């Protein structure tokens, strides 16, 4: 391995202040460069070795869909877990469907049901939904934020786009 200094890395930048794909390739850095590539080069030298890169990759956001949630629930089965880390005796019987139910009940119990408005798939799983404004027009103290959240749902956005299309 060949050491490289921070000055050398900075000097190799293009006039726009970034590194070209070619320069990074010469150092063994893949394109697009992974997080932490510079620190890895400074610590371990050239060429870049991905297995030595200590930077954590950015988490990939996996959308929660009704189908995915249903698959999890269909495949759920109690999973016994040793209770020692939780400082309780015996074993914990963890069923994903029951766990989800407990979490949803806790969210509602602590007065944060508005969090659930962002997840139509969770509402649908429990047989619930956000009503239309006309359905609750006769009620007082209706939280308008639930309607605002529902307007951001992908299916509602598609419906709105269809209505506006000529």
């Amino acid at each position: 391995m060949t050491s490289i200094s921070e000055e050398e890395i900075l000097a190799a930048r293009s006039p726009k202040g970034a590194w070209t794909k070619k320069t990074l390739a010469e150092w063994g850095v893949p394109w697009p460069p992974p997080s932490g590539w510079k620190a890895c080069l400074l610590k371990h030298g050239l060429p870049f070795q991905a297995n030595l890169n200590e930077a954590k990759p950015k988490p990939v956001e996996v959308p929660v869909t009704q189908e995915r949630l249903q698959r999890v629930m269909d495949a759920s089965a109690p999973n016994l877990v040793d209770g020692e880390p939780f400082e309780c005796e015996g074993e914990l019987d963890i069923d994903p469907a029951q766990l989800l139910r407990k979490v949803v009940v806790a969210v509602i119990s602590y007065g944060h049901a508005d969090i659930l408005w962002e997840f139509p798939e969770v509402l649908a799983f429990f047989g619930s939904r956000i009503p239309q404004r006309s359905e609750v027009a006769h009620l007082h103290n209706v939280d308008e934020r639930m309607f605002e959240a529902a307007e951001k749902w992908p299916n509602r956005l598609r419906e709105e786009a269809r209505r506006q299309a000529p």
Side-chain angles (χ1 to χ4, degrees), residues 17-128:
W19 291 268
T20 64
K21 186 175 181 179
K22 180 183 175 193
T23 300
L24 292 174
E26 289 171 3
W27 294 338
V29 178
W31 188 264
S35 177
W37 68 269
K38 286 183 278 187
C40 186
L41 285 180
L42 291 171
K43 184 173 182 179
H44 302 289
L46 295 174
F48 175 80
Q49 296 178 49
N51 62 324
L52 298 178
N53 191 359
E54 296 166 2
K56 295 179 182 169
K58 292 180 183 177
V60 176
E61 187 172 318
V62 178
V64 178
T65 63
Q66 175 67 27
E67 181 182 278
R68 181 170 284 151
L69 186 60
Q70 192 61 51
R71 276 196 314 247
V72 169
M73 294 307 146
D74 290 344
S76 75
N79 181 20
L80 297 179
V81 178
D82 181 0
E84 281 186 40
F86 302 100
E87 298 176 3
C88 66
E89 293 190 20
E91 295 176 327
L92 302 175
D93 187 4
I94 299 174
D95 178 353
Q98 291 301 319
L99 181 60
L100 177 61
R101 187 173 303 282
K102 288 177 182 180
V103 170
V104 168
V105 167
V107 167
I108 294 169
S109 297
Y110 281 89
H112 294 289
D114 57 296
I115 293 170
L116 300 174
W117 300 337
E118 300 292 329
F119 302 100
E121 59 277 3
V122 174
L123 295 174
F125 180 78
F126 288 105
S128 184

